[in-house]
Amino acid sequence: MNIEMIRAAAGRLKGNAAVTPLLESPLLNEVAGRRLLVKAECLQKTGSFKFRGGWSAVSALAPEVRARGVLAYSSGNHAQGVALAARLHGVPAVIVMPSDAPASKIANTRAYGAEVVLYDRQKENREAIGAEIAERRGLTLIKPYDEPQVIAGQGTCGLEIARQAAEAEVMQADVMVCCGGGGLTSGIALALAAEAPGLRARPAEPEGFDDVGRSLAAGRIQRNAAGAQSICDAILTPQPGDLTFPILKAHCGPGLAASDEECLRAMALAWARLKIVVEPGGAAALACALFRGDQIEGDAVIATASGGNVDAPMFRMALERYAAD
Amino acid sequence: MNIEMIRAAAGRLKGNAAVTPLLESPLLNEVAGRRLLVKAECLQKTGSFKFRGGWSAVSALAPEVRARGVLAYSSGNHAQGVALAARLHGVPAVIVMPSDAPASKIANTRAYGAEVVLYDRQKENREAIGAEIAERRGLTLIKPYDEPQVIAGQGTCGLEIARQAAEAEVMQADVMVCCGGGGLTSGIALALAAEAPGLRARPAEPEGFDDVGRSLAAGRIQRNAAGAQSICDAILTPQPGDLTFPILKAHCGPGLAASDEECLRAMALAWARLKIVVEPGGAAALACALFRGDQIEGDAVIATASGGNVDAPMFRMALERYAAD
């Protein structure tokens, strides 16, 4: 993994992925206690940054390999990103998804033309199911984060943050990144290290799933304890990736963690102040920027709003609890 | 009014207003039955395009005039646009607002530092109240639409649409514009006529408040019948402006109208597919693009999502009625 792979991915994404805006609201700055710039990746195609990695990986395949089709396993955002990238390349996609994924994520993955295979998250192993189908049907597996071209694609978000922060005259800031397996965080960290040395990536995780933060503190990979629960479905991974962790260790600041309620509050504030729709897992970085400011230094902070694929009842609940009537 | 005033306004807005994205969703294209590009002005500062006109007008004043302060009357979006533009220029603002405006619009206008004067929309005349206060306190009135520098500011949105549509390879399309008094519509119409001759502005209004559409059809200014009701608070004006109507007549295609329920459905679809928050009046153009496609020709259509300042109960209602659970 290196910055040249990210720049090459940016070339392949140009004109195919959206350049998402870096948003700011004076009234949200007041809540954060400093300038807060929000990278609105919920406005990316398929509603999350995952389209970047999906497009990067599918477009990097040799044409004769790509033509046989691709396979991914995902709770929903990588699923949609790979599904649409495959459709736009005119190749088949099979997506292995947990049967308890948000209904809209399953429906959208099918709407983008993919074949969805559901599995039971408690009893079955998605890697084994995926490997068997890929082998049998000659499909190329596109892993959700521990895959160089996926990391390169997510890193293009970091190239945009570097340029857009400079345009906003923010040269020095922590960049909170919603973090599951670390694909987006490691990609952004690599891009910032190369292009914006005053900006530092920091993983933002749900409480109870702060494996990356604890791994960074310990200096080696730590797993999450079994049995924790969170509404942040998009970023619930057991441990950092083998490929992502060394990058995170080399380039990231300390991790932060947000509670489910803080994520819901951040969703309501993003709705009220930025006019964007953010899902719970996509709100973890914003929640840390807003409510964990004591762990952040400097006059400015940047947060990724990494996805917006949330079912209506969950979103209504965020507004009922935290949006002023 | 001419294109040079819009280009000059764009120069004054550069670095102060956001360049909002032109969004597209494959799944929304399926609903529209053609390519649909959405100009997300809800992501503009203060949550609506009105910041463009507010900044344009305040920045165009002579410094010694501006220093005495500005006054505006508005149901809420022009209020916030002028309030923030004044605050960023360091000058006072008084905003005359109807007491039944959405609570969040009144609260935000105050939060941007303006002095808010409430009046009773049924019994009092906002023009008279505004004129009296402006006279007494030496403030400059900034009208919501019938004011050249306001139209010039709104027209900068049209310059962006012209450029962004070309980048998306859409050279021929109708551009639906949410239309109250016609400030945004006339500004966009002027900009498109000069810079994108294949794009044609068309006013989108709420049913019962289709004065602009009927005026265009009749060739002279028509008023709305008294007593009509609509949830589209941002665009309920009695008749086209004296300044805006000749521009609309010269450059716009026929008007369209959307029902309140169609606006709520468009809000739910914008939430689900584009991940943006749109208010009822800001959804009229999108509703026409989605549900009145039989009145539109061509392979592509563009719609402005002109604002996102909506109270939580109204937004929750849109999701309850029209977002799949």
Side-chain angles (χ1 to χ4, degrees), chain A residues 179 205-212 224-225 228-230 235-237:
Chain A
C179 189
E205 296 175 287
E207 283 181 352
F209 294 86
D210 59 342
D211 50 296
V212 170
N224 290 315
Q229 298 282 331
S230 167
I235 53 174
L236 306 183
T237 41

Side-chain angles (χ1 to χ4, degrees), chain B residues 24-45:
Chain B
E24 181 177 7
S25 154
L27 302 182
L28 204 54
N29 288 348
E30 288 175 17
V31 181
R34 48 171 64 89
R35 274 190 83 183
L36 167 57
L37 305 177
V38 177
K39 180 64 171 165
E41 276 297 296
C42 49
L43 305 177
Q44 187 52 261
K45 284 185 185 170

Side-chain angles (χ1 to χ4, degrees), chain A residues 107-184:
Chain A
N108 291 350
T109 304
R110 289 193 172 120
Y112 291 126
E115 177 185 338
V116 172
V117 175
L118 297 176
Y119 74 101
D120 181 334
R121 216 151 51 88
Q122 309 306 323
K123 298 181 188 159
E124 297 177 282
N125 179 305
R126 67 183 191 176
E127 283 84 353
I129 296 171
E132 191 276 320
I133 300 173
E135 164 80 23
R136 180 157 47 85
R137 295 171 55 171
L139 307 172
T140 301
L141 170 66
I142 297 179
K143 290 189 198 170
Y145 49 88
D146 242 14
E147 153 60 44
Q149 291 299 357
V150 168
I151 297 174
Q154 323 306 27
T156 63
C157 181
L159 297 181
E160 291 175 17
I161 290 172
R163 178 175 58 74
Q164 293 169 324
E167 285 170 5
E169 296 174 0
V170 170
M171 309 306 288
Q172 200 84 31
D174 280 355
V175 180
M176 307 292 139
V177 187
C178 302
C179 189
L184 180 63

Side-chain angles (χ1 to χ4, degrees), chain A residues 9-46:
Chain A
R12 297 198 302 281
L13 264 67
K14 194 171 162 59
N16 297 300
V19 175
T20 57
L22 192 65
L23 302 173
E24 181 177 7
S25 154
L27 302 181
L28 203 54
N29 288 349
E30 288 175 18
V31 180
R34 49 171 64 89
R35 274 191 83 183
L36 167 57
L37 305 178
V38 178
K39 180 65 170 166
E41 276 296 296
C42 50
L43 305 177
Q44 186 52 262
K45 285 184 183 171
T46 70

Side-chain angles (χ1 to χ4, degrees), chain A residues 70-76 78-84 86 93-98 109-110 113-119 133 139:
Chain A
V70 296
L71 178 139
Y73 39 76
S74 158
S75 73
H78 181 59
Q80 293 176 73
V82 170
L84 181 59
V94 175
I95 313 288
V96 180
M97 301 183 74
T109 304
R110 289 193 172 120
E115 177 185 338
V116 172
V117 175
L118 297 176
Y119 74 101
I133 300 173
L139 307 172

Side-chain angles (χ1 to χ4, degrees), chain A residues 31-322:
Chain A
V31 180
R34 49 171 64 89
R35 274 191 83 183
L36 167 57
L37 305 178
V38 178
K39 180 65 170 166
E41 276 296 296
C42 50
L43 305 177
Q44 186 52 262
K45 285 184 183 171
T46 70
S48 91
F49 72 95
K50 290 280 190 177
F51 180 74
R52 295 177 187 268
W55 183 275
S56 171
V58 172
S59 64
L61 294 174
E64 66 278 12
V65 173
R66 182 166 61 224
R68 290 199 295 271
V70 296
L71 178 139
Y73 39 76
S74 158
S75 73
N77 284 334
H78 181 59
Q80 293 176 73
V82 170
L84 181 59
R87 186 172 88 168
L88 294 173
H89 279 87
V91 305
V94 175
I95 313 288
V96 180
M97 301 183 74
S99 50
D100 63 348
S104 61
K105 289 181 172 174
I106 297 174
N108 291 350
T109 304
R110 289 193 172 120
Y112 291 126
E115 177 185 338
V116 172
V117 175
L118 297 176
Y119 74 101
D120 181 334
R121 216 151 51 88
Q122 309 306 323
K123 298 181 188 159
E124 297 177 282
N125 179 305
R126 67 183 191 176
E127 283 84 353
I129 296 171
E132 191 276 320
I133 300 173
E135 164 80 23
R136 180 157 47 85
R137 295 171 55 171
L139 307 172
T140 301
L141 170 66
I142 297 179
K143 290 189 198 170
Y145 49 88
D146 242 14
E147 153 60 44
Q149 291 299 357
V150 168
I151 297 174
Q154 323 306 27
T156 63
C157 181
L159 297 181
E160 291 175 17
I161 290 172
R163 178 175 58 74
Q164 293 169 324
E167 285 170 5
E169 296 174 0
V170 170
M171 309 306 288
Q172 200 84 31
D174 280 355
V175 180
M176 307 292 139
V177 187
C178 302
C179 189
L184 180 63
T185 314
S186 61
I188 288 178
L190 274 173
L192 296 180
E195 305 235 338
L199 304 183
R200 177 178 69 156
R202 294 181 65 181
E205 296 175 287
E207 283 181 352
F209 294 86
D210 59 342
D211 50 296
V212 170
R214 288 186 297 105
S215 299
L216 288 174
R220 56 192 168 77
I221 288 182
Q222 309 282 304
R223 286 182 67 85
N224 290 315
Q229 298 282 331
S230 167
I231 59 172
C232 298
D233 63 275
I235 53 174
L236 306 183
T237 41
Q239 63 180 62
D242 294 331
L243 210 57
T244 57
F245 183 63
I247 302 170
L248 301 172
K249 200 171 157 181
H251 298 294
C252 283
L256 296 91
S259 68
D260 279 2
E261 291 302 317
E262 288 171 326
C263 290
L264 289 170
R265 261 178 83 192
M267 290 166 64
L269 281 165
W271 171 87
R273 296 299 173 213
L274 300 172
K275 312 302 176 188
I276 57 174
V277 178
V278 187
E279 63 183 283
L286 183 59
C288 290
L290 287 169
F291 312 125
R292 303 292 175 112
D294 57 331
Q295 297 173 48
I296 301 168
E297 287 182 15
D299 298 334
V301 62
I302 299 173
T304 60
S306 57
N309 292 313
V310 50
D311 284 353
M314 177 71 78
F315 198 80
R316 293 205 313 261
M317 188 173 82
L319 296 189
E320 277 155 25
R321 289 196 191 166
Y322 296 111

